[in-house]
Amino acid sequence: MNRISHKQAIKWINRRLDGLLTNQQLLLLDEHLRSCDSCTSYAAEMELLPTQLQNEFHARWDEKPGPSEKVMQHVTAKARNIPMTNRISSGIKLLAGAATLILLAFAINFVVSQLRDTSTTAVGTETVNILPRAEDRLLAFASNQNGNSDIYTMRADGSDLTNLTNNPAYDGYPFWSPDGKQLAFQSDRNGSTQIYLMDANGSNVIQLTNDEGNPQFDINGHTPWSPDGRKLIFSQFSNGERKSKLYSMDVDGTSKTLLTNELGEYVWPSWSPDGEHIAFISFESQGMPTVYHLFVVDKKGNNLTELTGSLPMGRSLLFSNYYWSQDGRSIFFTTDSNENQGPASTVYEASLDGSLNVIARASKPILDWWNGTVLESETPEPALTWLRSDGSQSTLDLCRSTDQALNIAYKRSYNGNLVFGANCSATGWALYWANPDGTDISKLVESIIPVRNDVLFNMIWSPDDHFLAFVSLDSDYPNPTTTLYVLDVAEARKDPSVQPLKMEASGPSWQPIP
Amino acid sequence: MITMDYRLIELCRVGDSAAIENFVQTYQQDVYRLALSILDDPGEGEDATQEALLSALRSLDSFHGTSSLKTWLYSITVNICRNRLQRHKRHEHLTKILGEILRVRSTPSVEEGAIQNESNEALWRVIHGMDEKHRIPVVLRYYHDLSVAEIAHILQIPEGTVHSRLNTARRQLHGILKEGRL
C-alpha cells in the first residue's frame, strides 16, 4: 500500500534531485515508485535532466582555455598597493563615519518631524512586516485551470503552484488574514455561496456563514479582514435584487453584526487602520451619471454618517476611491462638479462626524491625491499631470497623439508609489511607474495586454512594494475571461525587457507575512 | 579542489608579493570557470576574474573564516558577474534602440557559430533564456557540482529558495523536453 500520495511523491522526486530528502523519505518514495508507473516515469525523466545539463555545460565551457597571463600580471601589480590603499581608506572612512553620524542625527530629526505631519495610507492597508525577500511571499488567487474555480497559491515567480481547495464546486475570492496564516474565501460547495476559512496550506476548512442571500465579499481591492485579524466584513444580498446589507462577524462565524439597517447598493467596504470604523460606498445607478456616496459606520454598527452629505450642490464622489488617514480619524476623497463654476475637481478631508475640509482643487478631474501632490487626468486627450505643492508640475502623454485612451487604471503602493496604465486604441495597455510626487516616471511594460481587454482591476501591490498583481478582463468573447498578471515592478524598472507572469485567473491576494 | 594555507592569507593582507601570486595561482582557474559559466564570454569572464580576485584581496580583512574561502570567493564572483550582466543588459537595450534607428544588423562571429554547432543549441537557448535568478543556481548546481546548501551560502538566500528556483528551472526544461522541442 502506498503511504504517500502522488502529489507528495512528485514533490519528493524534485527534492531528491537536490539531495534534500531524509532516509525515511527516500524509503517511502522508493516504496511509492515501485508501485506507481506514472511517478516512476516522471522520476526517470527528471533524473535525466542533470546529465543533459552537465553534458551541455561541460561541452560548452571545458574546452575553453583558462585565464590568460594578463590576469596574474594585472592582479599582482594592483594588489601590492592594497595595504597602503586600505590604510588611507581606513582614515577616510573614520572621517566619513564622523560626518555620517552628524548627518544621521539631522536626518532622524527631519524624519521624526515629517512623521508628525498628517499623512495618508491606501485603503485596506494591512500592518505588515517588510521582508528582504519578496519571492518568499505567497500570492493567493482563483483559477479555472483545473476545469472549475479553485483557490491556488504560488510564489511571485510562479513557483510552488498549489491548488488549495481541489473541490468540484466554485471556490473564489481568497483573502489572506493579517498574520498570513489563514485565507477567507467564498464557495458554493454546500449549495449556495457562503464564506469559509482555511489554513494557508488548504487544511482546516471551516464554514463561517450559513445564511440566505449568498454572503460574499464585495471588496474591490480592499481586505475584508479587520486590522487585528479578528473580524470579517461581508455583503448579504436581498434575494433577486442587487441590493445588500453589510455585516461583520468574528472569524469563528459568531457575533454577526448588521452595519447597514436599510437595504442599498452598498459596495467596497474597508476597515479604518485602527479597526474602529468601516467606510463604504453607496451608489445610485438609476440615473446618469452614477452618483456615489461615501458612508462611515462604527464597528458595532452604530453612528452611520454620510461623509459626502454636506458637499456643495452638484458635487459628487469621483472615481469612487477614497483613502483613510493613517490614524483612522479622517478620510480623503475626490469630487467632481456638474456645474460650470469654479474648479472641476476638489479633494476633501472628511472627519468622521461629516465635517469637510478642502485640501486641493484643480481645473481638471483629480484622479488621485497623495501628501500634497494632485494627480490630474485628462480625457479624451490621454495625459496625466502631477501638480506638486511647491508649484512645480510634470505631465505625461499616455498614448501617441493619434491614439485614443480607451481606459486608464492605477494603484498606489503602500509607500505611495504609483503604477498606472492606459489602454491605447492602437497598441493596447502600457504600464508606467511613478514615485509619489511624479518626479520620477518610467515605462514598465507595453503591448502585452491587448486592446480588447478593456478593464484592468484587482490591482494589488505586494506589501513590500516589489510586485504588482492585477487582472485584465477580456469581455469580447461569449464567455468573458480574466487574466492574472504578476509584474516584478522593481525588476521591470531596471530592465524594460522584464515581462509579467500571466495566467487565466483572478482575485489575487498577497500574503502579508510568509 | 581549492586549498589555501591560512598563513598565506595573512601574508596577502600585508601585501606580500609571493603570497599574492600564490593566491592568484590557486584561485584564478576556479574563479574564471565560474565567471565564464555565468557570463558565457571568455573576455568578460577574464575581466570579471581580475575584478573578483582584486576585490577579494582588498577585502580579506572582512573574511573571518565563518564560511569556506571558496564559498566567500564564489559569492564575490557571482555578485561581480551579476553587476556585469546588468550593465550588459542596459548596453544591449541601448544597442537595440540604436540598431533600430540605424537599421544595423549584427551577425554572430565565426567563433560563436562554431560553438553553437558543437553543443546542443536548443537546450542552451532555453538555459540562456532563463533569467539570472534561475540560471545561476542551475549553473552552480550542474556545472560546478555545488550542493543546495553551498549555493544558498553563495547567493545568500535560504536553501528552500534555491530548491524552489532549481525546481522552476527544471520544470521549464522538462516541459520543453516533453513537448519534444529539444
Side-chain angles (χ1 to χ4, degrees):
Chain A
M1 192 186 100
N2 269 326
R3 284 187 281 171
I4 60 170
S5 65
H6 288 290
K7 194 175 160 188
Q8 189 67 58
I10 297 294
K11 199 172 169 184
W12 283 3
I13 288 166
N14 290 321
R15 287 182 69 80
R16 186 169 70 174
L17 289 170
D18 291 332
L20 298 175
L21 286 191
T22 62
N23 287 339
Q24 176 68 16
Q25 288 169 331
L26 283 168
L27 286 172
L28 286 169
L29 179 61
D30 279 344
E31 180 188 285
H32 181 94
L33 292 179
R34 276 197 294 277
S35 60
C36 177
D37 288 345
S38 66
C39 289
T40 305
S41 143
Y42 176 77
E45 286 164 14
M46 292 308 283
E47 273 155 18
L48 199 62
L49 262 180
T51 315
Q52 283 177 296
L53 288 167
Q54 280 156 0
N55 290 343
E56 170 59 23
F57 291 148
H58 286 291
R60 190 164 186 89
W61 293 315
D62 281 0
E63 295 306 312
K64 293 259 169 60
S68 70
E69 274 299 306
K70 278 194 295 185
V71 172
M72 176 64 86
Q73 289 163 7
H74 184 86
V75 175
T76 49
K78 288 205 164 183
R80 283 187 197 107
N81 301 324
I82 287 174
M84 178 60 76
T85 319
N86 281 351
R87 275 195 291 275
I88 294 168
S89 100
S90 298
I92 293 170
K93 274 181 194 162
L94 207 63
L95 285 172
T100 308
L101 277 175
I102 295 165
L103 284 173
L104 202 60
F106 277 113
I108 289 169
N109 192 27
F110 175 75
V111 169
V112 168
S113 67
Q114 289 292 304
L115 285 173
R116 285 195 192 116
D117 295 342
T118 306
S119 56
T120 59
T121 180
V123 173
T125 301
E126 294 151 307
T127 305
V128 292
N129 291 348
I130 304 301
L131 293 170
R133 293 186 313 277
E135 297 93 330
D136 284 350
R137 210 173 287 281
L138 287 171
L139 180 70
F141 56 93
S143 172
N144 281 318
Q145 58 185 268
N146 235 9
N148 74 303
S149 180
D150 274 315
I151 292 167
Y152 292 77
T153 54
M154 68 176 182
R155 302 207 180 276
D157 62 2
S159 62
D160 290 349
L161 180 70
T162 310
N163 184 341
L164 297 185
T165 45
N166 259 323
N167 191 300
Y170 160 83
D171 301 291
Y173 289 95
F175 292 97
W176 285 103
S177 59
D179 64 3
K181 290 180 178 166
Q182 289 177 302
L183 282 157
F185 65 103
Q186 53 196 57
S187 172
D188 65 3
R189 57 185 66 191
N190 286 332
S192 65
T193 301
Q194 300 291 340
I195 291 169
Y196 293 76
L197 194 65
M198 65 181 164
D199 288 351
N201 62 3
S203 62
N204 294 326
V205 177
I206 305 166
Q207 184 172 345
L208 299 184
T209 58
N210 189 13
D211 298 311
E212 296 283 309
N214 297 319
Q216 58 191 267
F217 302 123
D218 198 353
I219 293 291
N220 192 30
H222 307 161
T223 176
W225 290 88
S226 60
D228 62 5
R230 291 182 178 171
K231 286 183 180 293
L232 288 162
I233 34 179
F234 62 96
S235 307
Q236 205 164 312
F237 286 78
S238 166
N239 284 340
E241 285 192 58
R242 290 173 56 184
K243 291 186 174 175
S244 63
K245 288 182 178 177
L246 294 176
Y247 291 87
S248 73
M249 66 177 164
D250 287 355
V251 288
D252 58 2
T254 63
S255 305
K256 192 172 160 186
T257 306
L258 179 64
L259 301 174
T260 53
N261 284 320
E262 307 286 324
L263 274 170
E265 292 189 61
Y266 302 135
V267 292
W268 311 325
S270 72
W271 289 91
S272 59
D274 60 4
E276 292 297 316
H277 293 88
I278 293 127
F280 60 91
I281 300 281
S282 157
F283 64 94
E284 297 164 21
S285 54
Q286 272 83 10
M288 282 293 284
T290 302
V291 178
Y292 299 96
H293 304 274
L294 179 62
F295 285 87
V296 69
V297 64
D298 70 30
K299 65 180 179 184
K300 292 182 177 159
N302 300 323
N303 301 314
L304 181 73
T305 309
E306 185 186 349
L307 301 184
T308 43
S310 55
L311 281 175
M313 278 290 287
R315 289 200 181 274
S316 83
L317 202 61
L318 181 68
F319 300 126
S320 76
N321 61 338
Y322 58 92
Y323 294 83
W324 279 99
S325 67
Q326 216 150 39
D327 61 6
R329 304 306 306 163
S330 60
I331 295 181
F332 296 83
F333 61 86
T334 305
T335 65
D336 66 352
S337 169
N338 296 327
E339 295 172 315
N340 288 325
Q341 44 181 266
S345 194
T346 307
V347 178
Y348 289 94
E349 180 180 11
S351 300
L352 299 188
D353 61 5
S355 61
L356 296 174
N357 271 326
V358 173
I359 298 294
R361 295 182 202 272
S363 56
K364 292 166 191 159
I366 298 176
L367 188 67
D368 195 49
W369 180 87
W370 186 270
N371 284 355
T373 298
V374 164
L375 180 60
E376 272 185 354
S377 76
E378 201 168 340
T379 48
E381 304 115 42
L384 292 181
T385 302
W386 284 259
L387 304 168
R388 291 180 280 275
S389 49
D390 63 2
S392 64
Q393 66 178 70
S394 16
T395 296
L396 177 75
D397 291 324
L398 291 170
C399 301
R400 291 192 303 241
S401 56
T402 49
D403 267 4
Q404 256 194 307
L406 302 172
N407 207 346
I408 55 175
Y410 71 100
K411 184 75 178 181
R412 287 267 179 206
S413 76
Y414 297 87
N415 294 330
N417 296 316
L418 188 73
V419 162
F420 54 97
N423 189 8
C424 303
S425 54
T427 50
W429 286 89
L431 294 182
Y432 301 80
W433 176 92
N435 65 347
D437 65 1
T439 47
D440 182 10
I441 304 168
S442 53
K443 187 179 272 187
L444 297 173
V445 287
E446 189 173 30
S447 304
I448 47 153
I449 308 163
V451 177
R452 66 164 190 272
N453 291 38
D454 44 19
V455 184
L456 286 195
F457 63 110
N458 280 172
M459 295 177 92
I460 314 280
W461 280 90
S462 64
D464 46 22
D465 271 20
H466 201 104
F467 293 92
L468 181 78
F470 56 95
V471 176
S472 79
L473 172 68
D474 184 346
S475 52
D476 270 4
Y477 290 108
N479 298 314
T481 53
T482 54
T483 306
L484 169 68
Y485 295 85
V486 183
L487 179 63
D488 188 335
V489 176
E491 282 300 311
R493 284 185 60 210
K494 286 186 268 176
D495 176 5
S497 67
V498 167
Q499 296 288 296
L501 195 77
K502 182 182 167 188
M503 65 174 68
E504 200 176 311
S506 66
S509 174
W510 288 103
Q511 188 182 29
I513 301 167
Chain B
M1 186 182 151
I2 291 176
T3 54
M4 182 74 186
D5 182 343
Y6 279 78
R7 200 167 53 82
L8 275 181
I9 294 177
E10 288 307 316
L11 290 171
C12 288
R13 276 184 178 139
V14 294
D16 182 282
S17 304
I20 290 168
E21 205 167 301
N22 197 329
F23 177 89
V24 177
Q25 196 65 51
T26 309
Y27 293 112
Q28 64 171 349
Q29 276 293 342
D30 289 284
V31 170
Y32 175 72
R33 290 285 155 205
L34 177 60
L36 177 67
S37 63
I38 295 174
L39 298 166
D40 196 41
D41 180 309
E44 279 272 305
E46 197 161 297
D47 289 349
T49 304
Q50 284 180 18
E51 201 181 331
L53 290 170
L54 267 173
S55 175
L57 284 165
R58 280 195 191 105
S59 48
L60 273 176
D61 281 342
S62 66
F63 175 68
H64 303 298
T66 46
S67 63
S68 77
L69 193 65
K70 171 184 154 183
T71 307
W72 181 71
L73 200 48
Y74 271 27
S75 276
I76 294 172
T77 311
V78 167
N79 283 337
I80 283 168
C81 291
R82 276 175 166 167
N83 288 340
R84 284 178 171 265
L85 283 173
Q86 291 296 332
R87 283 206 296 271
H88 191 62
K89 264 188 194 169
R90 282 197 289 273
H91 175 74
E92 250 183 7
H93 181 62
L94 280 173
T95 313
K96 201 175 152 197
I97 292 168
L98 281 174
E100 278 167 13
I101 294 167
L102 302 171
R103 297 184 186 283
V104 175
R105 291 175 78 189
S106 62
T107 49
S109 68
V110 176
E111 193 192 1
E112 274 172 358
I115 291 165
Q116 280 169 4
N117 291 340
E118 277 171 24
S119 62
N120 185 338
E121 197 185 328
L123 180 64
W124 174 248
R125 233 182 4 244
V126 178
I127 298 161
H128 192 66
M130 285 176 184
D131 56 18
E132 64 183 69
K133 196 165 79 178
H134 294 98
R135 185 164 50 85
I136 292 175
V138 168
V139 166
L140 291 174
R141 180 103 180 98
Y142 296 117
Y143 184 53
H144 298 280
D145 288 328
L146 296 176
S147 69
V148 168
E150 285 172 311
I151 298 170
H153 220 103
I154 289 166
L155 300 179
Q156 290 163 358
I157 54 177
E159 287 182 31
T161 308
V162 175
H163 172 63
S164 160
R165 290 182 185 177
L166 285 168
N167 225 5
T168 304
R170 282 191 298 250
R171 272 208 308 263
Q172 197 181 339
L173 286 160
H174 177 245
I176 290 161
L177 284 167
K178 285 274 277 189
E179 285 173 24
R181 283 198 263 151
L182 292 185

